[in-house]
């Protein structure tokens, strides 16, 4: 309810029952309905003293609520007091209990002191007795322990042989060696390397003998405890030294993982060489057949055959394995030491933790990686190097790296890799760079697949990148098509000799026996853009095929992908370029006619493009996919758009001529010849329709009929223009001469193919209207109105009324019939009578509709 409605309702209620009304107002206020301005205004506006009574009611209501609140507080207050009272009672009992417990504990302590003293005295006596008996035996055991511990100290003194992990890269051979900084040269260390860690094992063996054999015999002596306490420190020293070696190994392997990955990827490529060679041999046969059948453009034949027959003469470098590239001895030593020390789990956790950190660093790409292919290559080689090392550790150690661990690590890495590639590839706008990225991803996936890692998601990603690759190709080819259209002269291709004729035929599959029989010089019906577009479509197919290779897909799937991408090129890129070309303002009627002819020939060439795709994918006729090229609909749509543009531009040209018309609507006599603007218009139409004869189908006929209908409509609108107030009979006669000229033009068959006087019917409305006024046959028109056989069937009563009123105004103003007064009066009466009857017909039509 609106504010005004609420106010009125409240006012009425105040007059009937004020108490009940105040209760209702208070209820509305307490219900929190907003706004309450209208409710309060009703209380203050309706009666002079209403607000005082309302305030009394409001105070009473507040007091009631205060009482309810007080009751609720009183109700809960007693429970709160009771709870506090109970807590105070519990505290008193707890203090009593504490005193009892303390007293009990004190008595137990006093009683236990005596027992402890007595027990200690007994134990001391027994120990003294046993020590006296065993002292001689234990002394005999001390000498072997001391000798063995002395041997351990000698072994540990070999720590001065400080190992240092050193990385060399000679002849593409990576190796890790230990250099003795104090006593040995590098060559001596290389000779000592196989035994450089023997002191680790001897010291650990001696410690094991001391703990298991010797220390148990003298473990009760203080010097033995000191020895035992010192053993963990010695073990920690050994662990730290071996861990230092491992850290150096991990650091070096991180820095040189890209070299390992590069070598592994080269090895994977070599494994594919044999299958690729076989594929090339099959392609050679295909290219030969296509060359013989003339299905490949001449300018590409030499390039294709050259690549097909080309042999890889490059000297293949020897590719080393990961075992030859990397010395994993620091890992083995450290793992063995921790296993002997019973701390293998700590070593495994540390190794996995550090490798996971390195994995995160490896998976983090550079911000500008997408700018060059080298950035992607470094990214891939580092990842491959990392997982090649992990795969080797998995197979040569037991438990350090498990298959579950590597699978988890790979799944994490794969998700990150896909996200990185999806993000960085989205910045690529160069199709060549995207193609190189695809080749890198394929090699990357094949390499890791050879090590047992699942890579199906990478190939799924390639399909996403393929869509982006196609988009970049479409953008590139859009510019190519625009350049072709800009350079075209939109005139038939002239040829003066057989050589030029063969050049055009080699570029575009055109067959016309009539043209072949014609003598030179002659012309192809299409313009230069047609063979250029055909060649560029095939170039696009070649470019699209490059990405589809090595995707582990069948020929049928590749054929289907090529057809879909080609359909996008035709239906979206080429279609858009054609439509933009057609809508350009500077494209005239002659250019539009040539565009229609061009699209017809391009449409006919679509079947050759389908055969071309079938041939380059080497797919058999029995397994050809049902996907077809949509070039037919593309070129039909473009042709229809060009036809519509022709009709529009032709009508615009007619309007330009009609705007040049300069009639003297008050002339008493006609000039005796057609108007100059109309003669020029008809001459223009004759010349343009001669060009239209080359159009396919009934385009020329439709354009001619559309032009005549538009001209007839424009002339009719000129007569019925609301700004034209007066028309004389002489102007009607002059206008009739122009219409006669139009009818003569229509009967001259400017475009062949019309039957009878079909084209003349475009001016039938004008003809019947002018005949009616020039013959002044109103009796026949009114008598036969509405009859199918009426002589003036196409004359609308409203049209006739509009024109007659313009002539009536002219008669009154100029007093044309002043010389023949009786005839004047009769004719004026006739006009008035006809006007009345026409108005009645018009009114009847409006009521009927």
């Amino acid at each position: 309810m609106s504010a005004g409605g609420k106010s009125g309702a409240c006012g009425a209620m105040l007059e009937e029952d004020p108490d009940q009304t105040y209760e209702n107002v208070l209820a509305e206020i307490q219900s929190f309905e907003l706004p309450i301005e209208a409710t309060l205004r009703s209380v203050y506006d309706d009666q002079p003293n209403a607000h005082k009574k309302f305030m009394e009611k409001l105070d009473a209501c507040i007091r009631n609520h205060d009482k309810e609140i007080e009751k609720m507080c009183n109700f809960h207050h007693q429970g709160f007091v009771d709870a506090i009272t109970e807590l105070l009672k519990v505290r008193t009992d707890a203090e009593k209990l504490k005193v009892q417990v303390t007293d009990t504990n004190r008595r137990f302590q006093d009683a236990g002191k005596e027992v402890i003293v007595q027990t200690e005295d007994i134990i001391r006596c027994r120990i003294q007795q046993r020590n006296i008996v065993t002292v001689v035996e234990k002394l005999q055991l001390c000498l072997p322990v001391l000798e063995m511990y002395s041997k351990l100290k000698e072994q540990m003194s070999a720590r001065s042989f400080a190992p240092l992990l050193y990385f060399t890269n000679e002849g593409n051979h990576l190796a890790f060696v230990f250099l003795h900084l104090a006593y040995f040269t590098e060559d001596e260390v290389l000779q000592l390397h196989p035994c450089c860690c023997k002191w680790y094992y001897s010291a650990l063996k001696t410690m094991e003998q001391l703990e298991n054999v010797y220390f148990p015999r003298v473990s009760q002596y203080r010097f033995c405890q000191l020895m035992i306490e010192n053993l963990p420190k010695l073990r920690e020293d050994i662990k730290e030294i071996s861990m230092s070696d491992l850290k150096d190994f991990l650091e070096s392997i991180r820095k040189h993982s890209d070299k390992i990955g590069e070598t592994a990827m080269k090895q994977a490529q070599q494994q594919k060489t044999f299958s690729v060679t076989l594929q090339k041999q099959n392609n050679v046969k295909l290219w030969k057949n296509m060359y013989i059948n003339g299905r490949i453009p001449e300018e590409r034949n030499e390039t294709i055959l050259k690549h097909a027959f080309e042999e890889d003469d490059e000297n293949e470098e020897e590719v080393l394995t990961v075992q030859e590239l990397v010395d994993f001895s620091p890992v083995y030593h450290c793992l063995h030491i921790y296993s002997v020390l019973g701390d293998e789990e700590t070593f495994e956790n540390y190794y996995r933790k550090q490798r996971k950190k390195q994995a995160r660093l490896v998976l983090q790409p550079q911000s500008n990686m997408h700018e060059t292919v080298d950035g992607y290559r470094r990214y891939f080689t580092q990842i491959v190097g990392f997982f090649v090392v992990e795969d080797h550790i998995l197979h040569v150690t037991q438990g350090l790296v498990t298959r579950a661990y590597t699978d988890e690590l790979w799944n994490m890495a794969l998700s990150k890799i896909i996200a990185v590639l999806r993000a960085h590839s989205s910045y690529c706008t160069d199709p060549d760079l995207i193609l190189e990225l695809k080749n890198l991803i394929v090699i990357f996936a094949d390499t890791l697949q050879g090590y047992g890692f699942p890579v199906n998601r990478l190939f799924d990603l390639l399909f996403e990148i393929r869509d982006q690759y196609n988009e970049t190709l479409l953008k590139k080819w859009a510019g190519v098509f625009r350049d072709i259209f800009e350079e075209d002269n939109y005139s038939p291709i002239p040829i003066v000799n057989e050589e030029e004729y063969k050049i055009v035929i080699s570029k575009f599959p055109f067959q016309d026996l009539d043209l072949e029989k014609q003598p030179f010089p002659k012309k192809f019906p299409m313009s230069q853009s047609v063979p250029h577009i055909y060649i560029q479509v095939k170039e696009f197919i070649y470019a699209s095929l490059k990405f589809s290779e090595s995707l582990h897909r069948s020929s049928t799937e590749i054929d289907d992908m090529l057809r879909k991408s080609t359909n996008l090129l035709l239906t979206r890129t080429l279609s858009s370029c054609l439509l933009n070309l057609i809508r350009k303002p500077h494209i005239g009627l002659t250019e539009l006619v040539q565009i229609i002819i061009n699209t017809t020939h391009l449409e006919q060439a679509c079947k050759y493009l389908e055969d071309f795709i079938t041939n380059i994918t080497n797919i058999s006729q029995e397994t050809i996919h049902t996907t077809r090229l949509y070039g037919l609909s593309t070129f039909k749509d473009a042709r229809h758009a060009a036809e519509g543009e022709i009709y529009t531009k032709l009508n615009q040209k007619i309007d330009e001529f009609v705007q040049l018309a300069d009639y003297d609507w008050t002339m008493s006599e006609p000039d005796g010849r057609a108007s100059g603007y109309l003669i020029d218009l008809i001459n223009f139409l004759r010349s343009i329709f001669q060009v239209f004869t080359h159009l396919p189908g009934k385009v020329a006929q439709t354009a001619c009929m559309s032009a005549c209908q538009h001209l007839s409509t424009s002339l009719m609108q000129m007569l019925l223009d609301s700004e034209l107030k007066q028309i004389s009979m002489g102007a009607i006669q002059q206008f009739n001469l122009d219409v006669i000229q139009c009818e003569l033009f229509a009967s001259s068959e400017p475009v062949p193919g019309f039957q009878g006087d079909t084209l003349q019917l475009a001016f039938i409305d004008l003809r019947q209207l002018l005949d009616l006024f020039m013959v002044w046959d109103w009796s026949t028109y009114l008598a036969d109105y509405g009859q199918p056989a009426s002589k003036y069937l196409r004359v609308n009563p409203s049209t006739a009324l509009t024109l007659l009123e313009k002539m009536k105004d002219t008669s009154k103003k100029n007093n044309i019939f002043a010389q023949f007064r009786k005839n004047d009066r009769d004719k004026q009466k006739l006009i008035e009578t006809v006007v009345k009857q026409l108005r009645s017909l018009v009114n009847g039509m409006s009521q009927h509709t």
Side-chain angles (χ1 to χ4, degrees), residues 340-356:
V340 171
L341 297 177
D343 202 9
E344 184 177 2
E345 183 178 356
T346 300
F347 174 74
E348 292 175 359
N349 293 335
Y350 176 82
Y351 177 84
R352 294 182 184 183
K353 181 179 179 181
Q354 294 301 317
R355 290 297 281 168
K356 284 184 178 180

Side-chain angles (χ1 to χ4, degrees), residues 349-578:
N349 293 335
Y350 176 82
Y351 177 84
R352 294 182 184 183
K353 181 179 179 181
Q354 294 301 317
R355 290 297 281 168
K356 284 184 178 180
K357 289 181 179 180
Q358 292 185 354
R360 295 188 183 95
L361 293 176
V362 168
L363 295 172
Q364 188 66 31
Q366 295 182 353
S367 59
N368 61 343
M369 183 180 72
H370 61 276
E371 296 178 357
T372 60
V373 69
D374 291 335
Y376 288 107
R377 184 178 289 108
R378 285 193 298 270
Y379 182 68
F380 287 135
T381 54
Q382 288 178 358
I383 296 173
V384 171
F386 177 88
F387 282 99
V388 166
V389 170
E390 290 304 290
D391 180 77
H392 178 75
I393 295 295
L394 171 67
H395 288 88
V396 300
T397 61
Q398 295 181 352
L400 178 57
V401 174
T402 62
R403 174 58 65 182
Y405 163 77
T406 56
D407 290 343
E408 178 186 358
L409 196 61
W410 169 245
N411 290 330
M412 180 273 293
L414 186 59
S415 300
K416 179 66 175 178
I417 292 168
I418 292 175
V420 167
L421 293 178
R422 185 179 286 123
H424 281 263
S425 64
S426 63
Y427 298 116
C428 295
T429 57
D430 181 10
D432 295 333
L433 178 58
I434 298 178
L435 184 61
E436 292 180 349
L437 172 60
K438 167 257 175 183
N439 293 331
L440 283 176
I441 294 176
V442 170
I443 298 173
F444 173 74
D446 290 342
T447 303
L448 290 175
Q449 190 175 32
Y451 285 91
F453 296 100
V455 294
N456 292 334
R457 292 172 61 188
L458 285 175
F459 285 100
D460 295 338
L461 174 66
L462 282 176
F463 278 91
E464 297 180 22
I465 298 177
R466 183 183 183 277
D467 294 336
Q468 182 185 351
Y469 175 73
N470 283 336
E471 289 296 326
T472 58
L473 286 182
L474 292 175
K475 291 180 181 178
K476 179 179 178 180
W477 257 260
V480 172
F481 289 148
R482 285 194 296 268
D483 294 339
I484 292 175
F485 290 141
E486 288 291 335
E487 297 172 0
D488 195 9
N489 57 5
Y490 299 100
S491 60
I493 303 174
I495 48 176
V496 296
N497 52 43
E498 185 70 22
E499 183 179 356
E500 292 183 359
Y501 181 83
K502 290 182 178 179
I503 291 175
V504 177
I505 293 299
S506 65
K507 295 179 180 179
F508 184 75
F510 180 81
Q511 296 178 355
D512 189 345
L513 297 178
D514 295 335
L515 183 63
E516 292 180 3
K517 294 177 182 179
Q518 292 179 12
F520 292 100
K522 51 188 176 182
K523 294 182 179 180
F524 283 97
M526 65 279 188
S527 65
Q528 287 287 353
S529 62
V530 172
H532 292 165
I533 289 174
Y534 183 79
I535 291 174
Q536 288 301 322
V537 172
K538 294 175 74 174
E539 291 290 340
F540 176 86
I541 296 173
Y542 280 122
S544 183
L545 177 62
K546 288 180 181 178
F547 196 97
S548 302
E549 296 173 344
S550 303
L551 292 184
H552 304 293
R553 291 295 186 268
S554 64
S555 298
T556 304
E557 292 176 303
I558 294 176
D559 181 89
D560 185 61
M561 288 188 290
L562 287 182
R563 292 175 185 271
K564 289 180 178 179
S565 59
T566 306
N567 278 331
L568 284 177
L569 178 72
L570 296 177
T571 59
R572 197 171 74 184
T573 305
L574 182 56
S575 175
S576 176
C577 291
L578 280 171

Side-chain angles (χ1 to χ4, degrees), residues 90 154 388:
V90 170
E154 293 177 357
V388 166

Side-chain angles (χ1 to χ4, degrees), residues 615-628:
N615 290 329
I616 65 175
T617 55
N618 196 23
I619 186 172
S620 62
Q621 295 293 331
E622 292 77 11
T623 58
I624 291 179
H625 200 272
T626 55
T627 302
R628 298 299 179 191

Side-chain angles (χ1 to χ4, degrees), residues 41-61:
R41 190 181 298 111
S42 65
V43 174
Y44 284 88
D45 293 348
D46 290 338
Q47 293 183 7
N49 297 323
H51 67 281
K52 295 182 179 179
K53 298 179 180 180
F54 173 71
M55 291 302 296
E56 294 175 357
K57 290 287 184 180
L58 182 61
D59 292 337
C61 181

Side-chain angles (χ1 to χ4, degrees), residues 133-380:
V133 175
T134 61
V135 64
V136 175
E137 296 177 359
K138 297 302 180 180
L139 288 174
Q140 294 176 352
L141 295 177
C142 291
L143 184 59
V145 173
L146 293 174
E147 290 176 351
M148 184 62 67
Y149 190 78
S150 177
K151 180 181 178 181
L152 174 63
K153 297 295 288 185
E154 293 177 357
Q155 292 171 344
M156 290 301 297
S157 65
R159 284 183 300 176
S160 59
F161 182 82
L164 174 67
L165 193 65
Y166 182 76
F167 179 83
T168 63
N169 181 5
E170 299 179 359
N172 291 328
H173 183 92
L174 310 182
F176 294 93
V177 297
F178 291 90
L179 301 184
H180 191 299
L181 299 182
Y183 303 106
F184 296 95
T185 65
E186 183 175 349
D187 294 336
E188 292 173 334
V189 170
L190 290 175
Q191 296 176 358
L192 292 173
H193 169 55
C195 301
C196 62
C197 288
K198 278 189 175 180
W199 73 273
Y200 288 150
Y201 309 139
S202 300
L204 290 175
K205 186 67 176 176
T206 302
M207 291 182 190
E208 184 179 358
Q209 291 178 352
L210 285 171
E211 287 182 323
N212 296 332
V213 178
Y214 294 97
F215 283 165
R217 300 174 185 175
V218 293
S219 59
Q220 66 273 27
Y221 297 108
R222 184 177 179 183
F223 75 90
C224 182
Q225 294 297 326
L226 294 175
M227 294 179 183
I228 293 174
E229 292 175 358
N230 194 33
L231 288 184
K233 296 179 181 179
L234 298 177
R235 287 193 177 97
E236 288 298 323
D237 291 342
I238 296 175
K239 288 169 65 176
E240 288 178 2
I241 294 172
S242 62
M243 183 60 70
S244 176
D245 297 342
L246 178 66
K247 290 178 180 179
D248 294 338
F249 168 82
L250 293 176
E251 180 64 22
S252 297
I253 208 71
R254 183 186 68 82
K255 293 180 179 179
H256 299 89
S257 61
D258 56 344
K259 181 64 178 178
I260 301 171
E262 180 182 354
T263 304
M265 292 175 72
K266 285 183 179 179
Q267 192 176 32
Q269 280 184 298
Q270 287 186 356
Q271 292 175 354
K272 293 182 61 178
T273 301
F274 181 72
S275 60
V276 171
T277 303
L278 290 180
Q279 183 65 34
K280 282 186 177 181
Q281 292 177 355
N282 294 332
N283 289 339
V284 167
K285 298 178 182 179
L286 173 63
W287 297 123
K288 283 183 177 180
N289 293 332
M290 296 174 65
Y291 179 73
I292 294 172
N293 297 331
R295 293 173 180 168
I296 304 177
E298 185 174 347
E299 65 272 11
R300 291 188 62 91
N301 288 338
E302 296 182 0
T303 303
I304 293 172
L305 292 177
K306 178 180 178 182
H307 287 293
F309 288 106
E310 188 177 278
E311 294 184 357
D312 188 6
D313 295 331
E314 297 180 358
N315 294 326
E316 295 184 358
E317 297 182 359
E318 182 183 359
V319 180
L320 303 177
T321 63
V322 66
Q323 296 91 336
E324 296 170 328
L325 287 171
V326 181
D327 181 10
F328 289 91
S329 58
V331 180
Y332 308 150
H333 296 159
C334 197
L335 176 61
H336 178 74
I337 290 171
Y338 273 78
S339 299
V340 171
L341 297 177
D343 202 9
E344 184 177 2
E345 183 178 356
T346 300
F347 174 74
E348 292 175 359
N349 293 335
Y350 176 82
Y351 177 84
R352 294 182 184 183
K353 181 179 179 181
Q354 294 301 317
R355 290 297 281 168
K356 284 184 178 180
K357 289 181 179 180
Q358 292 185 354
R360 295 188 183 95
L361 293 176
V362 168
L363 295 172
Q364 188 66 31
Q366 295 182 353
S367 59
N368 61 343
M369 183 180 72
H370 61 276
E371 296 178 357
T372 60
V373 69
D374 291 335
Y376 288 107
R377 184 178 289 108
R378 285 193 298 270
Y379 182 68
F380 287 135

